[in-house]
Amino acid sequence: PWQPPGIMWEVPVLARIGDRDVLIVSEIDRRDGGARCRVRAWPGTLTAGGFETDASADAGGQLLDHGPDFYAMTCS
């Protein structure tokens, strides 16, 4: 979804969890001089045309972490 100015998405990760594709994005909110961060995820499917979220997925994604603990995580 569109984000207002000052909110940046960083370190997108497309992970395969079981038989599902999941897009994970770290988000940092730099509005008001702060640096609040959180991590959100969207389940879906990787297709030839890109990533399509599941029809039942929340448009704002599922909140995985609302602090710096897992910010900009990587998968190996």
Side-chain angles (χ1 to χ4, degrees), residues 2-76:
W2 177 86
Q3 295 295 310
I7 296 181
M8 300 178 295
W9 283 10
E10 299 184 309
V11 193
V13 173
L14 180 59
R16 186 98 172 141
I17 301 174
D19 62 346
R20 301 295 314 156
D21 294 320
V22 180
L23 176 63
I24 303 167
V25 176
S26 295
E27 178 184 275
I28 187 164
D29 185 346
R30 294 250 181 214
R31 297 176 297 174
D32 304 322
R36 295 174 302 279
C37 53
R38 60 186 171 191
V39 180
R40 299 189 298 168
W42 291 264
T45 305
L46 182 61
T47 68
F51 184 79
E52 296 180 10
T53 58
D54 287 349
S56 62
D58 185 325
Q62 178 181 353
L63 184 64
L64 298 181
D65 183 58
H66 56 85
D69 299 332
F70 298 107
Y71 188 79
M73 63 183 243
T74 58
C75 296
S76 58

